[in-house]
Amino acid sequence: MIMKKTDLPQVANSIMNALHEDEVEIINELYKACEENDMVKIDQMMELLLYDIEEHFSTEEELMREGDFFAYPMHKAEHDSMRKEVNALRNSWRKNKRAEEISDFIKNRLIPWLLLHIARWDSTTALHLGD
């Protein structure tokens, strides 16, 4: 396990907290598959991570639009940037099949980004939206 749900900052919106917790489970499963070099599981978990990220970001974006959140364009831009990075990672995985590339991305990019994103953007968004 590379990350515990208790490592996540909690925000003032239960839907957003649940999205983050679901993502941690997927990240942990993918990381474990990389450590075990389980190619089939990595394939499955990469697709699940992409699906989950899209679901997570789209849900938050819908909440922001419905709540008329003032910083929606900037928050969405952060999402779009990570969408591109994870898609590029999947494409690289399909081509090169390097589990280490994925585990390095999770450890050095995705988790730090997620923690900072929650603290910087999601906490402000959640305060605006409420529960």
mmCIF file of all heavy atoms in Angstrom, residues 76-118:
data_model
loop_
_atom_site.group_PDB
_atom_site.id
_atom_site.type_symbol
_atom_site.label_atom_id
_atom_site.label_comp_id
_atom_site.label_asym_id
_atom_site.label_seq_id
_atom_site.Cartn_x
_atom_site.Cartn_y
_atom_site.Cartn_z
ATOM 1 N N LYS A 76 -10.866 23.205 -13.378
ATOM 2 C CA LYS A 76 -11.000 22.275 -14.504
ATOM 3 C C LYS A 76 -9.683 22.160 -15.278
ATOM 4 O O LYS A 76 -9.317 21.069 -15.730
ATOM 5 C CB LYS A 76 -12.122 22.701 -15.443
ATOM 6 C CG LYS A 76 -12.343 21.688 -16.572
ATOM 7 C CD LYS A 76 -13.473 22.094 -17.479
ATOM 8 C CE LYS A 76 -13.753 21.062 -18.550
ATOM 9 N NZ LYS A 76 -12.602 20.599 -19.311
ATOM 10 N N ALA A 77 -8.958 23.255 -15.412
ATOM 11 C CA ALA A 77 -7.669 23.219 -16.110
ATOM 12 C C ALA A 77 -6.695 22.273 -15.396
ATOM 13 O O ALA A 77 -5.928 21.551 -16.061
ATOM 14 C CB ALA A 77 -7.076 24.619 -16.215
ATOM 15 N N GLU A 78 -6.719 22.261 -14.071
ATOM 16 C CA GLU A 78 -5.895 21.322 -13.305
ATOM 17 C C GLU A 78 -6.303 19.877 -13.632
ATOM 18 O O GLU A 78 -5.455 19.010 -13.805
ATOM 19 C CB GLU A 78 -6.058 21.569 -11.807
ATOM 20 C CG GLU A 78 -5.390 22.815 -11.318
ATOM 21 C CD GLU A 78 -4.030 22.528 -10.707
ATOM 22 O OE1 GLU A 78 -3.858 21.470 -10.089
ATOM 23 O OE2 GLU A 78 -3.153 23.382 -10.863
ATOM 24 N N HIS A 79 -7.609 19.642 -13.678
ATOM 25 C CA HIS A 79 -8.105 18.310 -14.037
ATOM 26 C C HIS A 79 -7.641 17.924 -15.441
ATOM 27 O O HIS A 79 -7.178 16.805 -15.665
ATOM 28 C CB HIS A 79 -9.633 18.268 -13.989
ATOM 29 C CG HIS A 79 -10.218 18.296 -12.627
ATOM 30 N ND1 HIS A 79 -11.577 18.475 -12.417
ATOM 31 C CD2 HIS A 79 -9.665 18.156 -11.387
ATOM 32 C CE1 HIS A 79 -11.819 18.442 -11.123
ATOM 33 N NE2 HIS A 79 -10.680 18.254 -10.467
ATOM 34 N N ASP A 80 -7.795 18.842 -16.376
ATOM 35 C CA ASP A 80 -7.435 18.549 -17.764
ATOM 36 C C ASP A 80 -5.958 18.206 -17.909
ATOM 37 O O ASP A 80 -5.589 17.317 -18.678
ATOM 38 C CB ASP A 80 -7.795 19.722 -18.675
ATOM 39 C CG ASP A 80 -9.295 19.887 -18.855
ATOM 40 O OD1 ASP A 80 -10.051 18.939 -18.540
ATOM 41 O OD2 ASP A 80 -9.714 20.977 -19.294
ATOM 42 N N SER A 81 -5.130 18.891 -17.149
ATOM 43 C CA SER A 81 -3.694 18.620 -17.185
ATOM 44 C C SER A 81 -3.398 17.192 -16.707
ATOM 45 O O SER A 81 -2.627 16.462 -17.346
ATOM 46 C CB SER A 81 -2.974 19.643 -16.307
ATOM 47 O OG SER A 81 -1.615 19.343 -16.223
ATOM 48 N N MET A 82 -4.032 16.776 -15.612
ATOM 49 C CA MET A 82 -3.800 15.426 -15.109
ATOM 50 C C MET A 82 -4.432 14.380 -16.029
ATOM 51 O O MET A 82 -3.874 13.295 -16.210
ATOM 52 C CB MET A 82 -4.316 15.278 -13.681
ATOM 53 C CG MET A 82 -4.030 13.926 -13.049
ATOM 54 S SD MET A 82 -2.302 13.312 -13.177
ATOM 55 C CE MET A 82 -1.424 14.467 -12.146
ATOM 56 N N ARG A 83 -5.563 14.699 -16.625
ATOM 57 C CA ARG A 83 -6.154 13.776 -17.609
ATOM 58 C C ARG A 83 -5.133 13.460 -18.700
ATOM 59 O O ARG A 83 -4.946 12.305 -19.085
ATOM 60 C CB ARG A 83 -7.390 14.405 -18.249
ATOM 61 C CG ARG A 83 -8.658 14.354 -17.452
ATOM 62 C CD ARG A 83 -9.780 15.066 -18.229
ATOM 63 N NE ARG A 83 -11.058 14.902 -17.612
ATOM 64 C CZ ARG A 83 -11.772 15.897 -17.068
ATOM 65 N NH1 ARG A 83 -11.307 17.146 -17.068
ATOM 66 N NH2 ARG A 83 -12.951 15.655 -16.531
ATOM 67 N N LYS A 84 -4.490 14.497 -19.221
ATOM 68 C CA LYS A 84 -3.507 14.324 -20.295
ATOM 69 C C LYS A 84 -2.326 13.479 -19.827
ATOM 70 O O LYS A 84 -1.847 12.609 -20.556
ATOM 71 C CB LYS A 84 -3.013 15.685 -20.786
ATOM 72 C CG LYS A 84 -4.017 16.423 -21.623
ATOM 73 C CD LYS A 84 -3.484 17.770 -22.073
ATOM 74 C CE LYS A 84 -4.579 18.567 -22.754
ATOM 75 N NZ LYS A 84 -4.162 19.934 -23.055
ATOM 76 N N GLU A 85 -1.859 13.739 -18.616
ATOM 77 C CA GLU A 85 -0.715 12.991 -18.100
ATOM 78 C C GLU A 85 -1.035 11.505 -17.942
ATOM 79 O O GLU A 85 -0.224 10.648 -18.287
ATOM 80 C CB GLU A 85 -0.252 13.562 -16.760
ATOM 81 C CG GLU A 85 0.458 14.890 -16.879
ATOM 82 C CD GLU A 85 1.031 15.344 -15.561
ATOM 83 O OE1 GLU A 85 1.782 14.571 -14.930
ATOM 84 O OE2 GLU A 85 0.728 16.476 -15.141
ATOM 85 N N VAL A 86 -2.210 11.207 -17.403
ATOM 86 C CA VAL A 86 -2.578 9.806 -17.189
ATOM 87 C C VAL A 86 -2.837 9.113 -18.524
ATOM 88 O O VAL A 86 -2.460 7.947 -18.706
ATOM 89 C CB VAL A 86 -3.782 9.686 -16.222
ATOM 90 C CG1 VAL A 86 -4.244 8.242 -16.097
ATOM 91 C CG2 VAL A 86 -3.408 10.228 -14.852
ATOM 92 N N ASN A 87 -3.416 9.807 -19.472
ATOM 93 C CA ASN A 87 -3.593 9.227 -20.812
ATOM 94 C C ASN A 87 -2.248 8.944 -21.468
ATOM 95 O O ASN A 87 -2.065 7.903 -22.103
ATOM 96 C CB ASN A 87 -4.440 10.151 -21.693
ATOM 97 C CG ASN A 87 -5.910 9.856 -21.576
ATOM 98 O OD1 ASN A 87 -6.337 8.710 -21.717
ATOM 99 N ND2 ASN A 87 -6.690 10.880 -21.302
ATOM 100 N N ALA A 88 -1.311 9.866 -21.323
ATOM 101 C CA ALA A 88 0.033 9.656 -21.880
ATOM 102 C C ALA A 88 0.705 8.464 -21.206
ATOM 103 O O ALA A 88 1.394 7.670 -21.869
ATOM 104 C CB ALA A 88 0.878 10.921 -21.710
ATOM 105 N N LEU A 89 0.505 8.320 -19.903
ATOM 106 C CA LEU A 89 1.064 7.177 -19.186
ATOM 107 C C LEU A 89 0.478 5.868 -19.717
ATOM 108 O O LEU A 89 1.200 4.899 -19.945
ATOM 109 C CB LEU A 89 0.795 7.317 -17.687
ATOM 110 C CG LEU A 89 1.320 6.190 -16.807
ATOM 111 C CD1 LEU A 89 2.845 6.174 -16.796
ATOM 112 C CD2 LEU A 89 0.765 6.330 -15.392
ATOM 113 N N ARG A 90 -0.834 5.850 -19.909
ATOM 114 C CA ARG A 90 -1.466 4.636 -20.450
ATOM 115 C C ARG A 90 -0.917 4.313 -21.839
ATOM 116 O O ARG A 90 -0.633 3.161 -22.141
ATOM 117 C CB ARG A 90 -2.979 4.783 -20.537
ATOM 118 C CG ARG A 90 -3.588 3.491 -21.104
ATOM 119 C CD ARG A 90 -4.971 3.565 -21.635
ATOM 120 N NE ARG A 90 -5.238 4.751 -22.381
ATOM 121 C CZ ARG A 90 -6.453 5.165 -22.694
ATOM 122 N NH1 ARG A 90 -7.506 4.476 -22.287
ATOM 123 N NH2 ARG A 90 -6.643 6.245 -23.400
ATOM 124 N N ASN A 91 -0.768 5.321 -22.671
ATOM 125 C CA ASN A 91 -0.239 5.088 -24.021
ATOM 126 C C ASN A 91 1.193 4.560 -23.966
ATOM 127 O O ASN A 91 1.556 3.667 -24.732
ATOM 128 C CB ASN A 91 -0.322 6.363 -24.853
ATOM 129 C CG ASN A 91 -1.762 6.750 -25.146
ATOM 130 O OD1 ASN A 91 -2.674 5.921 -25.076
ATOM 131 N ND2 ASN A 91 -1.980 8.019 -25.454
ATOM 132 N N SER A 92 1.984 5.106 -23.057
ATOM 133 C CA SER A 92 3.351 4.617 -22.888
ATOM 134 C C SER A 92 3.345 3.174 -22.382
ATOM 135 O O SER A 92 4.140 2.342 -22.832
ATOM 136 C CB SER A 92 4.110 5.514 -21.911
ATOM 137 O OG SER A 92 5.412 5.037 -21.716
ATOM 138 N N TRP A 93 2.442 2.870 -21.453
ATOM 139 C CA TRP A 93 2.324 1.494 -20.947
ATOM 140 C C TRP A 93 1.991 0.527 -22.080
ATOM 141 O O TRP A 93 2.586 -0.530 -22.203
ATOM 142 C CB TRP A 93 1.269 1.421 -19.843
ATOM 143 C CG TRP A 93 0.842 0.019 -19.547
ATOM 144 C CD1 TRP A 93 -0.349 -0.558 -19.857
ATOM 145 C CD2 TRP A 93 1.616 -1.002 -18.909
ATOM 146 N NE1 TRP A 93 -0.365 -1.878 -19.454
ATOM 147 C CE2 TRP A 93 0.831 -2.171 -18.869
ATOM 148 C CE3 TRP A 93 2.900 -1.045 -18.376
ATOM 149 C CZ2 TRP A 93 1.278 -3.361 -18.310
ATOM 150 C CZ3 TRP A 93 3.359 -2.241 -17.818
ATOM 151 C CH2 TRP A 93 2.548 -3.373 -17.787
ATOM 152 N N ARG A 94 1.043 0.903 -22.908
ATOM 153 C CA ARG A 94 0.637 0.033 -24.014
ATOM 154 C C ARG A 94 1.806 -0.245 -24.962
ATOM 155 O O ARG A 94 1.927 -1.330 -25.506
ATOM 156 C CB ARG A 94 -0.513 0.661 -24.795
ATOM 157 C CG ARG A 94 -1.836 0.587 -24.064
ATOM 158 C CD ARG A 94 -2.924 1.254 -24.868
ATOM 159 N NE ARG A 94 -4.235 1.056 -24.276
ATOM 160 C CZ ARG A 94 -5.311 1.695 -24.665
ATOM 161 N NH1 ARG A 94 -5.258 2.576 -25.660
ATOM 162 N NH2 ARG A 94 -6.469 1.468 -24.078
ATOM 163 N N LYS A 95 2.649 0.751 -25.126
ATOM 164 C CA LYS A 95 3.769 0.623 -26.058
ATOM 165 C C LYS A 95 4.967 -0.087 -25.423
ATOM 166 O O LYS A 95 5.572 -0.964 -26.039
ATOM 167 C CB LYS A 95 4.188 2.015 -26.525
ATOM 168 C CG LYS A 95 5.311 2.034 -27.518
ATOM 169 C CD LYS A 95 5.635 3.454 -27.948
ATOM 170 C CE LYS A 95 6.803 3.458 -28.911
ATOM 171 N NZ LYS A 95 7.197 4.809 -29.280
ATOM 172 N N ASN A 96 5.312 0.288 -24.191
ATOM 173 C CA ASN A 96 6.570 -0.167 -23.587
ATOM 174 C C ASN A 96 6.430 -1.233 -22.504
ATOM 175 O O ASN A 96 7.407 -1.902 -22.178
ATOM 176 C CB ASN A 96 7.322 1.032 -22.991
ATOM 177 C CG ASN A 96 7.585 2.095 -24.024
ATOM 178 O OD1 ASN A 96 8.018 1.802 -25.131
ATOM 179 N ND2 ASN A 96 7.303 3.344 -23.676
ATOM 180 N N LYS A 97 5.244 -1.326 -21.891
ATOM 181 C CA LYS A 97 4.990 -2.316 -20.823
ATOM 182 C C LYS A 97 6.030 -2.237 -19.696
ATOM 183 O O LYS A 97 6.582 -3.234 -19.258
ATOM 184 C CB LYS A 97 4.937 -3.738 -21.384
ATOM 185 C CG LYS A 97 3.825 -3.971 -22.376
ATOM 186 C CD LYS A 97 2.470 -3.932 -21.715
ATOM 187 C CE LYS A 97 1.372 -4.294 -22.700
ATOM 188 N NZ LYS A 97 0.044 -4.113 -22.153
ATOM 189 N N ARG A 98 6.288 -1.009 -19.218
ATOM 190 C CA ARG A 98 7.243 -0.803 -18.127
ATOM 191 C C ARG A 98 6.489 -0.490 -16.838
ATOM 192 O O ARG A 98 6.041 0.638 -16.621
ATOM 193 C CB ARG A 98 8.196 0.330 -18.459
ATOM 194 C CG ARG A 98 9.189 -0.031 -19.574
ATOM 195 C CD ARG A 98 10.272 1.017 -19.774
ATOM 196 N NE ARG A 98 10.928 1.368 -18.530
ATOM 197 C CZ ARG A 98 10.899 2.587 -17.988
ATOM 198 N NH1 ARG A 98 10.263 3.571 -18.577
ATOM 199 N NH2 ARG A 98 11.535 2.823 -16.849
ATOM 200 N N ALA A 99 6.353 -1.482 -15.982
ATOM 201 C CA ALA A 99 5.638 -1.307 -14.715
ATOM 202 C C ALA A 99 6.295 -0.234 -13.852
ATOM 203 O O ALA A 99 5.616 0.529 -13.159
ATOM 204 C CB ALA A 99 5.580 -2.627 -13.959
ATOM 205 N N GLU A 100 7.609 -0.160 -13.917
ATOM 206 C CA GLU A 100 8.346 0.830 -13.118
ATOM 207 C C GLU A 100 7.945 2.261 -13.490
ATOM 208 O O GLU A 100 7.906 3.142 -12.636
ATOM 209 C CB GLU A 100 9.845 0.632 -13.317
ATOM 210 C CG GLU A 100 10.694 1.553 -12.468
ATOM 211 C CD GLU A 100 12.179 1.326 -12.687
ATOM 212 O OE1 GLU A 100 12.631 0.168 -12.585
ATOM 213 O OE2 GLU A 100 12.869 2.316 -12.974
ATOM 214 N N GLU A 101 7.655 2.491 -14.750
ATOM 215 C CA GLU A 101 7.226 3.823 -15.179
ATOM 216 C C GLU A 101 5.926 4.216 -14.486
ATOM 217 O O GLU A 101 5.760 5.358 -14.045
ATOM 218 C CB GLU A 101 7.051 3.851 -16.701
ATOM 219 C CG GLU A 101 6.624 5.209 -17.232
ATOM 220 C CD GLU A 101 6.428 5.217 -18.743
ATOM 221 O OE1 GLU A 101 6.426 4.137 -19.379
ATOM 222 O OE2 GLU A 101 6.260 6.328 -19.283
ATOM 223 N N ILE A 102 5.028 3.259 -14.364
ATOM 224 C CA ILE A 102 3.745 3.529 -13.706
ATOM 225 C C ILE A 102 3.943 3.733 -12.213
ATOM 226 O O ILE A 102 3.415 4.695 -11.633
ATOM 227 C CB ILE A 102 2.738 2.402 -13.983
ATOM 228 C CG1 ILE A 102 2.409 2.359 -15.467
ATOM 229 C CG2 ILE A 102 1.475 2.602 -13.146
ATOM 230 C CD1 ILE A 102 1.593 1.159 -15.884
ATOM 231 N N SER A 103 4.698 2.857 -11.571
ATOM 232 C CA SER A 103 4.899 3.012 -10.123
ATOM 233 C C SER A 103 5.628 4.313 -9.810
ATOM 234 O O SER A 103 5.310 4.980 -8.823
ATOM 235 C CB SER A 103 5.616 1.805 -9.528
ATOM 236 O OG SER A 103 6.865 1.596 -10.115
ATOM 237 N N ASP A 104 6.587 4.704 -10.642
ATOM 238 C CA ASP A 104 7.271 5.992 -10.444
ATOM 239 C C ASP A 104 6.298 7.158 -10.592
ATOM 240 O O ASP A 104 6.345 8.121 -9.820
ATOM 241 C CB ASP A 104 8.419 6.167 -11.435
ATOM 242 C CG ASP A 104 9.626 5.308 -11.100
ATOM 243 O OD1 ASP A 104 9.682 4.746 -9.979
ATOM 244 O OD2 ASP A 104 10.513 5.183 -11.972
ATOM 245 N N PHE A 105 5.422 7.079 -11.584
ATOM 246 C CA PHE A 105 4.424 8.128 -11.797
ATOM 247 C C PHE A 105 3.504 8.237 -10.581
ATOM 248 O O PHE A 105 3.208 9.338 -10.115
ATOM 249 C CB PHE A 105 3.612 7.847 -13.063
ATOM 250 C CG PHE A 105 2.541 8.861 -13.336
ATOM 251 C CD1 PHE A 105 2.831 10.040 -13.990
ATOM 252 C CD2 PHE A 105 1.229 8.633 -12.928
ATOM 253 C CE1 PHE A 105 1.841 10.990 -14.240
ATOM 254 C CE2 PHE A 105 0.234 9.562 -13.171
ATOM 255 C CZ PHE A 105 0.546 10.748 -13.832
ATOM 256 N N ILE A 106 3.044 7.101 -10.084
ATOM 257 C CA ILE A 106 2.154 7.105 -8.925
ATOM 258 C C ILE A 106 2.847 7.756 -7.736
ATOM 259 O O ILE A 106 2.290 8.643 -7.081
ATOM 260 C CB ILE A 106 1.700 5.667 -8.579
ATOM 261 C CG1 ILE A 106 0.725 5.152 -9.642
ATOM 262 C CG2 ILE A 106 1.058 5.618 -7.189
ATOM 263 C CD1 ILE A 106 0.408 3.674 -9.525
ATOM 264 N N LYS A 107 4.064 7.312 -7.456
ATOM 265 C CA LYS A 107 4.795 7.765 -6.281
ATOM 266 C C LYS A 107 5.236 9.221 -6.390
ATOM 267 O O LYS A 107 5.111 9.995 -5.433
ATOM 268 C CB LYS A 107 6.008 6.865 -6.077
ATOM 269 C CG LYS A 107 6.759 7.096 -4.798
ATOM 270 C CD LYS A 107 7.948 6.143 -4.587
ATOM 271 C CE LYS A 107 8.116 5.113 -5.656
ATOM 272 N NZ LYS A 107 9.306 4.282 -5.521
ATOM 273 N N ASN A 108 5.758 9.603 -7.539
ATOM 274 C CA ASN A 108 6.405 10.907 -7.673
ATOM 275 C C ASN A 108 5.550 11.991 -8.306
ATOM 276 O O ASN A 108 5.901 13.174 -8.219
ATOM 277 C CB ASN A 108 7.696 10.758 -8.482
ATOM 278 C CG ASN A 108 8.668 9.832 -7.807
ATOM 279 O OD1 ASN A 108 8.872 9.896 -6.596
ATOM 280 N ND2 ASN A 108 9.255 8.926 -8.578
ATOM 281 N N ARG A 109 4.446 11.603 -8.933
ATOM 282 C CA ARG A 109 3.603 12.601 -9.592
ATOM 283 C C ARG A 109 2.154 12.549 -9.126
ATOM 284 O O ARG A 109 1.612 13.548 -8.669
ATOM 285 C CB ARG A 109 3.684 12.423 -11.116
ATOM 286 C CG ARG A 109 2.837 13.391 -11.897
ATOM 287 C CD ARG A 109 3.329 14.826 -11.762
ATOM 288 N NE ARG A 109 2.450 15.725 -12.492
ATOM 289 C CZ ARG A 109 1.948 16.859 -11.987
ATOM 290 N NH1 ARG A 109 2.274 17.252 -10.781
ATOM 291 N NH2 ARG A 109 1.139 17.601 -12.704
ATOM 292 N N LEU A 110 1.507 11.397 -9.253
ATOM 293 C CA LEU A 110 0.071 11.330 -9.006
ATOM 294 C C LEU A 110 -0.291 11.604 -7.546
ATOM 295 O O LEU A 110 -1.161 12.433 -7.272
ATOM 296 C CB LEU A 110 -0.495 9.981 -9.449
ATOM 297 C CG LEU A 110 -2.010 9.808 -9.314
ATOM 298 C CD1 LEU A 110 -2.773 10.886 -10.089
ATOM 299 C CD2 LEU A 110 -2.431 8.420 -9.776
ATOM 300 N N ILE A 111 0.362 10.922 -6.616
ATOM 301 C CA ILE A 111 0.020 11.126 -5.202
ATOM 302 C C ILE A 111 0.346 12.552 -4.745
ATOM 303 O O ILE A 111 -0.515 13.206 -4.151
ATOM 304 C CB ILE A 111 0.676 10.057 -4.309
ATOM 305 C CG1 ILE A 111 0.002 8.703 -4.563
ATOM 306 C CG2 ILE A 111 0.576 10.444 -2.830
ATOM 307 C CD1 ILE A 111 0.646 7.545 -3.853
ATOM 308 N N PRO A 112 1.546 13.075 -5.026
ATOM 309 C CA PRO A 112 1.791 14.475 -4.627
ATOM 310 C C PRO A 112 0.800 15.444 -5.272
ATOM 311 O O PRO A 112 0.323 16.387 -4.628
ATOM 312 C CB PRO A 112 3.221 14.740 -5.100
ATOM 313 C CG PRO A 112 3.856 13.393 -5.174
ATOM 314 C CD PRO A 112 2.756 12.447 -5.565
ATOM 315 N N TRP A 113 0.474 15.207 -6.547
ATOM 316 C CA TRP A 113 -0.497 16.076 -7.228
ATOM 317 C C TRP A 113 -1.856 15.990 -6.543
ATOM 318 O O TRP A 113 -2.495 17.008 -6.287
ATOM 319 C CB TRP A 113 -0.636 15.675 -8.704
ATOM 320 C CG TRP A 113 -1.614 16.527 -9.447
ATOM 321 C CD1 TRP A 113 -1.335 17.688 -10.115
ATOM 322 C CD2 TRP A 113 -3.023 16.316 -9.568
ATOM 323 N NE1 TRP A 113 -2.499 18.203 -10.654
ATOM 324 C CE2 TRP A 113 -3.554 17.380 -10.337
ATOM 325 C CE3 TRP A 113 -3.894 15.336 -9.115
ATOM 326 C CZ2 TRP A 113 -4.907 17.490 -10.659
ATOM 327 C CZ3 TRP A 113 -5.243 15.437 -9.428
ATOM 328 C CH2 TRP A 113 -5.736 16.504 -10.190
ATOM 329 N N LEU A 114 -2.306 14.770 -6.258
ATOM 330 C CA LEU A 114 -3.619 14.581 -5.646
ATOM 331 C C LEU A 114 -3.702 15.288 -4.299
ATOM 332 O O LEU A 114 -4.679 16.008 -4.022
ATOM 333 C CB LEU A 114 -3.917 13.090 -5.485
ATOM 334 C CG LEU A 114 -5.276 12.720 -4.884
ATOM 335 C CD1 LEU A 114 -6.420 13.215 -5.756
ATOM 336 C CD2 LEU A 114 -5.365 11.206 -4.679
ATOM 337 N N LEU A 115 -2.703 15.117 -3.465
ATOM 338 C CA LEU A 115 -2.711 15.758 -2.147
ATOM 339 C C LEU A 115 -2.717 17.275 -2.258
ATOM 340 O O LEU A 115 -3.469 17.961 -1.549
ATOM 341 C CB LEU A 115 -1.514 15.274 -1.319
ATOM 342 C CG LEU A 115 -1.539 13.801 -0.932
ATOM 343 C CD1 LEU A 115 -0.217 13.399 -0.284
ATOM 344 C CD2 LEU A 115 -2.716 13.481 -0.024
ATOM 345 N N LEU A 116 -1.898 17.809 -3.141
ATOM 346 C CA LEU A 116 -1.860 19.262 -3.331
ATOM 347 C C LEU A 116 -3.159 19.769 -3.942
ATOM 348 O O LEU A 116 -3.700 20.801 -3.528
ATOM 349 C CB LEU A 116 -0.666 19.641 -4.217
ATOM 350 C CG LEU A 116 -0.476 21.141 -4.478
ATOM 351 C CD1 LEU A 116 -0.246 21.892 -3.164
ATOM 352 C CD2 LEU A 116 0.687 21.358 -5.432
ATOM 353 N N HIS A 117 -3.679 19.028 -4.906
ATOM 354 C CA HIS A 117 -4.925 19.428 -5.565
ATOM 355 C C HIS A 117 -6.082 19.476 -4.563
ATOM 356 O O HIS A 117 -6.875 20.423 -4.569
ATOM 357 C CB HIS A 117 -5.243 18.462 -6.707
ATOM 358 C CG HIS A 117 -6.492 18.799 -7.443
ATOM 359 N ND1 HIS A 117 -6.535 19.766 -8.429
ATOM 360 C CD2 HIS A 117 -7.760 18.326 -7.313
ATOM 361 C CE1 HIS A 117 -7.774 19.864 -8.880
ATOM 362 N NE2 HIS A 117 -8.537 18.997 -8.227
ATOM 363 N N ILE A 118 -6.165 18.467 -3.715
ATOM 364 C CA ILE A 118 -7.235 18.451 -2.703
ATOM 365 C C ILE A 118 -7.072 19.640 -1.771
ATOM 366 O O ILE A 118 -8.045 20.356 -1.481
ATOM 367 C CB ILE A 118 -7.233 17.123 -1.915
ATOM 368 C CG1 ILE A 118 -7.646 15.962 -2.821
ATOM 369 C CG2 ILE A 118 -8.175 17.214 -0.711
ATOM 370 C CD1 ILE A 118 -7.420 14.579 -2.202
#
